[in-house]
Amino acid sequence: MTAQRRQLQIAVIGAGMSGLCMAAKLQDAGIENYTVFEQADDVGGTWRDNTYPGLTCDVPSRYYTYSFRPNPEWSRLLSPGPEIQAYFRRVAEDLGIRPHIRFGTEVRAARFVDGRWFIDTGSGEEESFDVLITATGVLRLPRYPDIPGLETFAGPMFHSARWDHSVSLPDKRIGLIGTGSTGVQITAELGGKVRALKVFQRTAQWIFPTPNLRYSPLTRAALRRWPKLNEVGYRGWGFYIRQLLGRATVQPCWQRRLVQTACRWNLRLSVRDAELRRKLTPNYQAMCKRQVLAGHFYPAVQRPGVEVITDAIEAVEPRGVVTADGTLHELDVLVLATGFDARAYVRPMQIIGENGLTLEEAWADGPTAYRSVAVPGFPNLFMLMGPHSPIGNQSLITIAEDQADYAIWWINQIRDGRITAAAPTEAATKDYNEQMKAAMPQTIWVTGCSSWYIGRDGLPELFPWTPERHRELLRNPEPAHFDVRSA
């Protein structure tokens, strides 16, 4: 006769992609006593918050999908943002996750006391849980540029993640600050469709040619009729992404040379004007920054009314942007595609572990974790998209699934009564992070560029091995690396 399992109370913070993934995994494990705390009024996370023109995923649709929930209805190779948000809403509804979500509820703090996590939502009462899982995402807190006079601009001004759709664009002179993936997508969408578009470029980007092909109605019908075809697409595109960018970024190989050659020839063949081509030529190796995959950026910047400005921005005044050469670029709208705080993780939420240790104190020298999911001194805390997750041009959904499965393994140890609490040891965590540092020199990210990948120690805060290695580490838990407590 099987012993009765403990009925655990699980708290999940965030109802974005990784939070929904965790909820689905909990349900699949037979755990129904879980609560998802979401400060917004809808699921979706970054796909809820970002609604800018041209928004698409930079991972093929077939692979940017939960393995347990294929979607035959994707319209393109790279999914438009609204389709992805609709997909997450449908998953939450169809899997019965939505009743477990407490919308409009911000978790201000979580404290571990006497073997349980106590959640403070500002309601005046704390709730306790056996396990805490953070699923707060990677790029969610907008970063605003420190430009003199920015607040004085007279026209509409907003961050790309807070797009103001009440502003009519076709008749406007638009200034766009930022040329990362978001800036590239906005330029590709608006170039030639508005009165004027001035792209203020601090750093040029290498563009890997990626035409966003449309799936035909026949293809979608076939995928609905024979669901196994979805699995073929999922595995095929997953293999392509892992073998191409997954290897090219972390080790010298023919894939690295292929990507770099493709980027150089894409620029040379796509931009005829020598001066514009000079402006758009980066001074670093392809993939040193997050690689941009796009098919329409170069044609867009060559359309009438589009200008790429490489002079540094000196200031912003009510009429527009002043560059270092003294030119006033008069504008009607100013868009800030200036990225996010890549080191926010759970912030501003305060997490307090054993003996009053805060996560801020534990991360005083920079965010670290054991295998990207757990932190010493914080028992029964598991992170999705934690420090050094392999997020460089990979499907974050696949990463989240692996991390959720790892959390489920430990949760089952608690449910079965084998243990009551577990946290990685300082020694195991330090050893793991030292191994990562030793492997960094072989990665493309240390070849000489400034990017949000780089931490305060000058090293990338990314996973320095292949995606397969990350999956292998998470699929083989090592209890000897943990401080494990029994009843």
Side-chain angles (χ1 to χ4, degrees):
M1 183 176 180
T2 303
Q4 186 174 4
R5 284 181 148 182
R6 284 184 58 192
Q7 295 297 312
L8 302 181
Q9 296 283 342
I10 313 289
V12 180
I13 314 299
M17 175 279 294
S18 54
L20 295 179
C21 176
M22 190 71 241
K25 295 285 187 177
L26 288 169
Q27 292 190 166
D28 190 54
I31 299 173
E32 291 290 341
N33 295 327
Y34 70 90
T35 302
V36 181
F37 294 91
E38 172 55 57
Q39 64 180 4
D41 59 1
D42 198 1
V43 302
T46 189
W47 300 104
R48 176 198 62 229
D49 296 340
N50 287 270
T51 59
Y52 59 80
L55 171 64
T56 57
C57 187
D58 58 3
V59 174
S61 310
R62 298 281 172 239
Y63 191 44
Y64 193 78
T65 308
Y66 296 123
S67 64
F68 52 83
R69 199 69 178 180
N71 177 27
E73 305 300 334
W74 296 125
S75 66
R76 290 183 176 273
L77 173 65
L78 303 176
S79 310
E83 282 189 30
I84 300 174
Q85 174 64 354
Y87 170 72
F88 288 131
R89 284 174 173 163
R90 193 160 57 249
V91 168
E93 191 69 37
D94 292 350
L95 297 186
I97 296 172
R98 190 172 285 272
H100 293 266
I101 304 174
R102 198 175 302 175
F103 291 108
T105 305
E106 178 184 5
V107 175
R108 298 183 179 182
R111 180 189 299 270
F112 187 78
V113 179
D114 296 332
R116 292 182 66 81
W117 282 100
F118 289 82
I119 304 296
D120 175 15
T121 61
S123 64
E125 295 183 6
E126 290 187 326
E127 300 177 62
S128 69
F129 296 86
D130 298 287
V131 177
L132 173 64
I133 298 167
T134 63
T136 50
V138 182
L139 304 177
R140 60 185 177 84
L141 295 183
R143 185 179 62 205
Y144 292 85
D146 184 15
I147 301 174
L150 186 66
E151 71 285 352
T152 68
F153 183 66
M157 179 179 67
F158 43 84
H159 192 278
S160 57
R162 303 292 184 267
W163 197 274
D164 185 350
H165 291 277
S166 69
V167 178
S168 173
L169 300 178
D171 59 336
K172 300 295 193 302
R173 298 167 298 177
I174 300 171
L176 175 64
I177 299 177
T179 51
S181 295
T182 297
V184 165
Q185 291 183 353
I186 293 173
T187 300
E189 179 65 21
L190 297 185
K193 299 180 182 178
V194 296
R195 178 181 169 189
L197 177 63
K198 297 198 176 213
V199 181
F200 296 92
Q201 173 187 278
R202 184 175 64 179
T203 306
Q205 299 283 341
W206 287 113
I207 309 293
F208 186 80
T210 312
N212 195 6
L213 305 177
R214 185 183 294 275
Y215 288 117
S216 69
L218 183 61
T219 298
R220 296 199 295 273
L223 290 167
R224 287 193 298 269
R225 177 66 178 82
W226 296 289
K228 277 291 183 182
L229 291 176
N230 289 287
E231 185 176 343
V232 173
Y234 179 88
R235 292 183 179 277
W237 281 113
F239 180 82
Y240 168 77
I241 290 293
R242 291 192 303 273
Q243 292 300 312
L244 185 65
L245 296 174
R247 294 191 179 278
T249 51
V250 299
Q251 55 189 223
C253 56
W254 66 266
Q255 290 97 325
R256 180 178 293 185
R257 294 191 296 273
L258 174 63
V259 172
Q260 293 177 342
T261 300
C263 289
R264 286 195 295 270
W265 277 104
N266 186 35
L267 175 59
R268 182 174 298 181
L269 297 175
S270 300
V271 182
R272 296 182 178 181
D273 181 80
E275 176 59 21
L276 178 58
R277 191 165 61 245
R278 182 191 64 79
K279 287 183 176 181
L280 295 174
T281 302
N283 61 357
Y284 56 88
Q285 295 185 43
M287 297 177 293
C288 184
K289 293 175 177 285
R290 180 176 175 85
Q291 183 59 53
V292 178
L293 284 70
H296 298 97
F297 174 71
Y298 288 143
V301 296
Q302 297 174 85
R303 291 177 186 144
V306 181
E307 182 181 0
V308 177
I309 300 164
T310 57
D311 293 302
I313 295 176
E314 284 286 311
V316 173
E317 67 164 66
R319 293 177 295 166
V321 171
V322 180
T323 48
D325 62 353
T327 302
L328 169 63
H329 302 271
E330 295 192 41
L331 304 168
D332 302 310
V333 179
L334 187 56
V335 177
L336 310 175
T338 47
F340 302 84
D341 179 359
R343 266 142 226 106
Y345 294 106
V346 301
R347 300 180 181 98
M349 178 174 58
Q350 184 181 43
I351 295 186
I352 306 167
E354 290 191 299
N355 303 316
L357 176 69
T358 68
L359 197 57
E360 290 284 344
E361 292 169 340
W363 287 353
D365 296 325
T368 58
Y370 173 83
R371 298 188 181 182
S372 76
V373 293
V375 181
F378 296 83
N380 295 358
L381 167 67
F382 300 97
M383 295 182 168
L384 306 189
M385 299 301 138
H388 289 92
S389 292
I391 60 176
N393 288 105
Q394 295 298 309
S395 172
L396 300 195
I397 293 184
T398 302
I399 299 165
E401 287 196 38
D402 291 338
Q403 293 171 331
D405 285 339
Y406 185 84
I408 290 292
W409 189 90
W410 281 104
I411 289 170
N412 281 334
Q413 303 303 301
I414 301 172
R415 292 172 76 198
D416 291 339
R418 297 187 182 96
I419 65 173
T420 58
T425 65
E426 291 279 1
T429 304
K430 181 179 179 181
D431 180 64
Y432 174 72
N433 281 271
E434 289 298 327
Q435 290 180 41
M436 284 197 298
K437 287 182 180 180
M440 284 298 174
Q442 69 182 354
T443 70
I444 194 70
W445 306 307
V446 299
T447 55
C449 67
S450 175
S451 78
W452 59 266
Y453 287 160
I454 307 300
R456 66 179 66 178
D457 60 359
L459 293 175
E461 292 183 351
L462 290 176
F463 189 75
W465 301 295
T466 63
E468 292 92 339
R469 175 78 180 277
H470 186 255
R471 170 167 288 184
E472 179 185 345
L473 288 171
L474 294 183
R475 287 188 172 179
N476 294 281
E478 298 192 46
H481 291 177
F482 274 64
D483 174 13
V484 176
R485 299 167 201 177
S486 303

